[in-house]
Amino acid sequence: MRKGGGRNKGFPPSMEDESSISLRQLMVNEGLIPTLEDEEKRRVVLNKLRKIVVRWVKNVAWQRRLPQNQIDATNATILAYGSYGLGVYGSESDIDALCIGPFFATIAEDFFISLRDMLKSRREVSEVHCVKDAKVPLIRFKFDGILVDLPYAQLRVLSIPNNVDVLNPFFLRDIDETSWKSLSGVRANKCILQLVPSLELFQSLLRCVKLWAKRRGVYGNLNGFLGGVHMAILAAFVCGYESNATLSSLLANFFYIFAHWQWPTPVVLLEDTYPATGAPPGLMPIQLPCGSHQYCNSNITRSTFYKIMAEFLRGHNLTKDYLKPNFSWKNLFELYPYANSYTWFTKIHLSAANQEDLSDWVGWVKSRFRCLLSKIEEVYGICDPNPTEYVETYTKQPNIVFYWGLQLRTINVSDIESVETEFLKNLNSGSFQGPVGRIQLSVVKASQLPKNGECASNNRSKKVTKTCWRIRENKQCNNVPVYSHHLPGYVVGYQKMANREADGMGG
């Protein structure tokens, strides 16, 4: 990582310190710092999960008829990553935790069936869903009320150390592609934490830039903006520039650096470690710090690139004078004024028969937002996909509504019909297995936006829909036992199967 910079020259250290103190106070006022109770609750959840997976893997070893000494020796573990792993979680944050198991514990039979059933049997666990067809397959559930995303990686060893080094090539040999993808988040976290000069400054900077990105509407990979791993790498990159930094100087430099960045030059934490082969992908390539020339997954389009760069420039213009009298950090974190910025909006209305079906339907549609955004760009040009979710309370069916800004003065409203038709084809071509809800696209004026608040309102429900879909468990399904491939007659768990499929298996 590059070194250099330092305190803002020409100003006394006390001014830097005072500016950083006011910024830290803003973080406290915004509720960005979790309480000791929040921290302890998450620690307890992870410790319980570790005990569960150890029992699980020893049971799987017994099913495989491994010798007793190997059953005694085998082990699985849980590693936290994401915002919790980086130490920048909030009181409402979920936990990203990777389950790492040994060579004999498979994802299909052992993880998605027997571990799932073990979790469902716990009284602390609720809302267990298997998300098998995502890019990173996982089990999603709530543990003591905290949402947990649990992917799985299978290593070619008998026992996984509790503090396994996921950067050690010994543990990574001959692993399958799914395990490699599942490990990428943990590996990226570990590299970042090893590279930053000051962990506390990095965490504080990352909290600030994530708040800024959410307030200004440029956060969220699904909507074509910057996701959590993108923000973490950009923050770590800036931390590497300054050897004697304060929080305020780091935040100002963050905007200076990326307002002037010559994209598509990639952002690279470890230069020359992995030589480039070909052009980097996308409009804003950000290289993962832990793989041989691997880049963060990105959904950035022409529209969202324009919005991100405009916000970088706005941030720089606001923070370049952060040491002057009467400067206030609050201006940086103002909510983006969607209603005052656009004359026209694409309205995306999603509905379903009940709240559970709606959650699944919205999750599926959001996973295809990149396609919708591209189609809108083809017809209308620049589009700003506001990630805020609204509810029309005057309609009977459960619903979620999005309003995406369109940067045009006059619009052919009927063009949205072709966009809807094409997007419906995309939705129907996927692997969604739940009840299909409704989607209706229309174009509305800014004056038709919700009257109960501006589009930039942050009065969002804390129960934001997660992007996932699951195998439906409906009344036309039977519990069918799944037998071990290694221990005849032993039931490892049960799967939901339609009655006609279950009858066919019985013959």
Side-chain angles (χ1 to χ4, degrees), residues 19-35 91 207-208 211 215 328-330 333 458:
S19 179
S20 294
I21 290 171
S22 67
L23 188 52
R24 292 182 191 279
Q25 185 59 51
L26 184 145
M27 292 167 58
V28 173
N29 295 343
E30 293 290 347
L32 301 184
I33 311 300
T35 65
S91 59
R207 288 185 190 277
C208 289
L211 176 64
R215 291 285 175 83
S328 173
W329 288 106
K330 290 182 179 180
F333 302 103
N458 66 341

Side-chain angles (χ1 to χ4, degrees), residues 489-503:
Y490 183 83
V491 177
V492 298
Y494 293 85
Q495 278 188 319
K496 292 285 184 181
M497 192 169 294
N499 289 340
R500 60 182 181 275
E501 296 178 61
D503 292 343

Side-chain angles (χ1 to χ4, degrees), residues 134-178:
K135 290 181 180 178
V136 178
L138 54 86
I139 301 176
R140 174 169 291 147
F141 54 94
K142 285 187 176 178
F143 201 115
D144 283 335
I146 298 175
L147 188 65
V148 179
D149 279 352
L150 187 72
Y152 180 65
Q154 181 182 6
L155 305 187
R156 302 299 178 187
V157 294
L158 173 67
S159 181
I160 312 297
N162 288 329
N163 59 343
V164 57
D165 183 2
V166 292
L167 301 180
N168 187 336
F170 171 78
F171 292 107
L172 304 177
R173 67 188 193 282
D174 300 326
I175 64 173
D176 58 78
E177 184 179 356
T178 298

